[in-house]
Amino acid sequence: MIASRMTQDRIAPWGATDPLLYDLLVDGAITHRQLWRHHGLRIGELPVGFHSPERQVGESKHSRKVETIKFVTLSERDASLTGAELRHLAIAAEARQALTTPGARWKTPFIVDDGYWYGNDGNVPDAVYEPGNQAWAVEVSVGSYSNKRILEKATAFEERFDGQLWVCPTQRQAAGIKRLLAGHNNVRVMAANPFVAGKPPPRSGWWRNRKS
């Protein structure tokens, strides 16, 4: 889990209706490819105030392929995170987009303290997904944890949440987590890769097309 970094420099001078600003207030960071796929924007088109740190990173901890990725953040603090930390945030952001979940139902330590992130013996989720009246733990797994640690976290989540969503950057990793957690109830495992390329959504590029 990435520690909370909710500070004044996260609040940029644009309205809360701007989609990118809204997403980053919830998610913390996205990749330049997510910026294009979800918002139809290039790094060079971002207005002043956004940050675009560059990192050498693979799609998971043990990836043989490492590439240069630009991330987008709102604050200098978030821009100073390591490549692994930024990757973690971007994977969670990709999962939220895939689930078409609004920020109001995707709680993170960036925006709220509902007691989800404190006093739980280190078994802390990366986010909390709230479908309906339920609360699901969201955990990003990129190959850093041993099987024992994954089972410890899953057991803790099962006791405290209605369900748990595990998010991996690759289908292979997702399949491994699914097998490992087969004995637990209300577990969903999905792959969400923030590094894949793609086409922009229709009628995107909100900053480029917005009226002055």
Side-chain angles (χ1 to χ4, degrees):
M1 183 202 125
I2 308 301
S4 173
R5 296 174 182 273
M6 185 61 178
T7 57
Q8 287 298 317
D9 62 349
R10 291 188 61 78
I11 308 301
W14 306 291
T17 56
D18 290 340
L20 179 57
L21 173 60
Y22 174 84
D23 283 350
L24 289 176
L25 283 171
V26 175
D27 301 318
I30 61 174
T31 68
H32 68 275
R33 290 171 186 157
Q34 288 171 295
L35 179 67
W36 178 244
R37 284 191 286 109
H38 299 313
H39 299 280
L41 291 171
R42 303 295 190 186
I43 291 289
E45 296 176 310
L46 290 175
V48 174
F50 289 96
H51 300 271
S52 54
E54 190 174 279
R55 299 286 187 273
Q56 292 285 326
V57 66
E59 63 183 14
S60 66
K61 181 176 176 60
H62 302 293
S63 295
R64 294 182 179 179
K65 179 182 177 182
V66 175
E67 57 182 327
T68 300
I69 296 291
K70 285 189 175 181
F71 292 86
V72 182
T73 73
L74 282 180
S75 77
E76 291 184 7
R77 285 191 177 187
D78 297 337
S80 70
L81 293 172
T82 67
E85 290 170 329
L86 289 167
R87 173 182 62 199
H88 218 74
L89 297 177
I91 292 171
E94 187 70 15
R96 186 175 71 83
Q97 290 285 349
L99 294 169
T100 62
T101 302
R105 292 193 172 276
W106 189 272
K107 310 298 186 183
T108 71
F110 287 95
I111 55 174
V112 293
D113 170 18
D114 286 341
Y116 294 135
W117 293 278
Y118 299 96
N120 296 305
D121 301 323
N123 295 307
V124 181
D126 293 303
V128 175
Y129 170 43
E130 296 180 336
N133 294 322
Q134 296 186 330
W136 282 52
V138 178
E139 184 69 16
V140 173
S141 179
V142 297
S144 301
Y145 293 143
S146 66
N147 287 351
K148 179 181 178 182
R149 182 69 183 117
I150 291 172
L151 290 169
E152 287 175 350
K153 291 178 78 75
T155 298
F157 294 159
E158 192 169 28
E159 294 173 352
R160 293 167 39 220
F161 294 94
D162 298 300
Q164 50 190 296
L165 172 65
W166 287 74
V167 186
C168 305
T170 69
Q171 292 288 351
R172 180 178 180 180
Q173 287 176 314
I177 295 291
K178 187 174 182 178
R179 287 192 300 269
L180 183 62
L181 300 183
H184 290 267
N185 297 318
N186 293 334
V187 174
R188 178 177 178 181
V189 184
M190 66 181 293
N193 191 331
F195 303 116
V196 297
K199 296 181 179 180
R203 296 183 299 278
S204 59
W206 59 269
W207 179 260
R208 184 191 315 113
N209 300 322
R210 119 182 227 178
K211 294 180 181 179
S212 58

